[in-house]
Amino acid sequence: MNLLASRSSRMKASEIRELLKLLDQPDIISFAGGIPDPSLFPAQAIGDAYQAVLGGREAGTALQYQVSEGYLPLRKWLAAYMGKLGVQCDEGNIFITSGSQQALDYLGKLFLSPGDTALVTWPTYLGALQAFNAYEPRYDRLNTAGGNMTPEAYRAAAAANGGKVKFAYLVPDFANPTGNTLDVKQREAVLDLAGELDIAVIEDAAYRALRYDGEGVPPILALDCARSGGIDHARTLYCGSFSKILSPGMRVGWVCAPRHVVEKLVLIKQASDLHSPSINQMVMHRVADTIFDTQVEKLIGAYRKRRDALLGALQANMPDGISWSRPEGGMFVWLTLPEGVDATELLARSVKEARVAFVPGNAFYADGTGRNTLRMSFTLADDRAVNEGVPRLAKLLRG
């Protein structure tokens, strides 16, 4: 063990990955894993696409090496998709990854030297912290509601640690873990701060398509392109994924970014795994091109009902002193417990006494605070889970 690199000390197990093991216990009601409902996967369409690819002239291409940038027809489809979101680009601005998690790892590798600073929200996506931790950064707080430090103060704090501020990372739509969404003014403020600091913005858009209420908000990248004069002059790097809509197991994500950033990411890919699986990219292109919009509508119809059921159960059962977010989309509801209540200790009791699981909130804080918070996911929460699980948890909280 004394031969390991210093970065290995910052590699921590995911509390969520560990909690997913609870799903194997049939009597556990789990609100823990933020994963799609497998019964809603378009399995038939995906199976048909695999058969079509492997049964025709494309079989050789599907089983062969692929260019590191990714399968060209899929990149062209994604460029058109980004255009519908207000981001005018072409395939040269699209880079295919093995899920958006790989994109976060690559961007951490690209930007962070040991001691550099990443600005993240408090709380933020645990997987991003895991991806960035290997590159030995420090974290500073990004307040999307306002009240940030001055650029000079951010720079001074970073310099005192021996590095520079390199990027701001955030999930602006139905954030993991809070479910919150930034309005246009807040997104513009992030760009203002990034401009003053001359840093990149990493926009994690994994949940963007899952909007159940309200009007859509332009991506930060779209706002950036409008003010900078186009994507190749923008500082925002958009990370997208098919995992929440079509299939997480196929591991297909993408980065939409200026060409000079894509070129660097390609070099990282070549040194890492050469390319994402050819056959999965080809199948994903066929499926997305035919059923993406209808699949989104199906998920919205199912998940909206589950979100509403969970919010209703919380309202009907939770004791005074507990508050929660009311997300317009996504997969998560964020609970804030009274000060002094430790959600990690509560989880141990909840699993043992109530047979209900959730994710303690401190896992999502770069400094390990937020111990009186927790995350609940509703995507796998059927009527039984909500009607039995929430009252059990509420009873435990009442003492």
Side-chain angles (χ1 to χ4, degrees), residues 72-94 254 256 285 289 292-293:
L72 182 58
L74 178 60
R75 289 162 54 217
K76 287 184 175 181
W77 187 93
L78 286 166
Y81 174 78
M82 295 302 302
K84 296 175 184 177
L85 301 181
V87 178
Q88 299 305 312
C89 63
D90 61 30
E91 64 273 13
N93 302 111
I94 303 294
W254 74 92
C256 183
H285 172 248
D289 194 42
F292 185 85
D293 290 340

Side-chain angles (χ1 to χ4, degrees), residues 40-47 49 77 245-247 283-299:
L40 299 175
F41 292 157
Q44 184 64 54
I46 291 173
W77 187 93
I245 305 302
L246 295 175
S247 166
V283 167
M284 190 62 78
H285 172 248
R286 281 177 171 262
V287 175
D289 194 42
T290 53
I291 68 163
F292 185 85
D293 290 340
T294 56
Q295 175 69 7
V296 167
E297 289 304 312
K298 180 172 77 171
L299 295 178

Side-chain angles (χ1 to χ4, degrees), residues 320-322 336-343 365 369-373:
D320 293 340
I322 298 174
T336 302
L337 311 178
E339 289 293 337
V341 177
D342 189 314
Y365 286 82
T369 57
R371 301 198 71 84
N372 67 320
T373 59

Side-chain angles (χ1 to χ4, degrees), residues 248-299:
M250 291 175 68
R251 310 307 300 137
V252 182
W254 74 92
V255 177
C256 183
R259 288 172 184 268
H260 62 271
V261 174
V262 169
E263 290 167 0
K264 293 294 186 183
L265 292 173
V266 168
L267 298 179
I268 295 174
K269 188 78 169 170
Q270 289 172 353
S272 177
D273 62 358
L274 298 183
H275 62 85
S276 296
S278 304
I279 188 170
N280 289 1
Q281 294 184 64
M282 295 172 71
V283 167
M284 190 62 78
H285 172 248
R286 281 177 171 262
V287 175
D289 194 42
T290 53
I291 68 163
F292 185 85
D293 290 340
T294 56
Q295 175 69 7
V296 167
E297 289 304 312
K298 180 172 77 171
L299 295 178

Side-chain angles (χ1 to χ4, degrees), residues 162-335:
K164 300 177 180 179
V165 184
K166 290 297 184 67
F167 58 72
Y169 165 83
L170 69 164
V171 186
D173 298 284
F174 326 123
N176 183 357
T178 64
N180 294 336
T181 296
L182 302 189
D183 60 27
V184 171
K185 184 177 179 180
Q186 290 171 319
R187 295 172 194 232
E188 293 280 12
V190 170
L191 286 173
D192 290 341
L193 177 63
E196 292 171 334
L197 286 168
D198 194 20
I199 60 173
V201 175
I202 299 177
E203 178 177 15
D204 189 340
Y207 309 95
R208 178 179 174 84
L210 297 176
R211 171 172 284 279
Y212 315 136
D213 302 316
E215 294 295 325
V217 187
I220 296 175
L221 178 55
L223 300 173
D224 193 350
C225 290
R227 62 162 64 182
S228 67
I231 189 169
D232 287 326
H233 302 287
R235 65 177 68 251
T236 302
L237 317 171
Y238 182 104
C239 299
S241 174
F242 288 107
S243 292
K244 306 304 184 291
I245 305 302
L246 295 175
S247 166
M250 291 175 68
R251 310 307 300 137
V252 182
W254 74 92
V255 177
C256 183
R259 288 172 184 268
H260 62 271
V261 174
V262 169
E263 290 167 0
K264 293 294 186 183
L265 292 173
V266 168
L267 298 179
I268 295 174
K269 188 78 169 170
Q270 289 172 353
S272 177
D273 62 358
L274 298 183
H275 62 85
S276 296
S278 304
I279 188 170
N280 289 1
Q281 294 184 64
M282 295 172 71
V283 167
M284 190 62 78
H285 172 248
R286 281 177 171 262
V287 175
D289 194 42
T290 53
I291 68 163
F292 185 85
D293 290 340
T294 56
Q295 175 69 7
V296 167
E297 289 304 312
K298 180 172 77 171
L299 295 178
I300 287 174
Y303 292 157
R304 180 193 285 126
K305 292 178 181 177
R306 297 176 193 181
R307 177 209 57 180
D308 292 347
L310 178 57
L311 292 176
L314 291 170
Q315 185 67 44
N317 292 279
M318 282 294 162
D320 293 340
I322 298 174
S323 60
W324 52 88
S325 62
R326 291 168 173 79
E328 294 182 330
M331 296 183 166
F332 309 109
V333 174
W334 181 249
L335 277 69

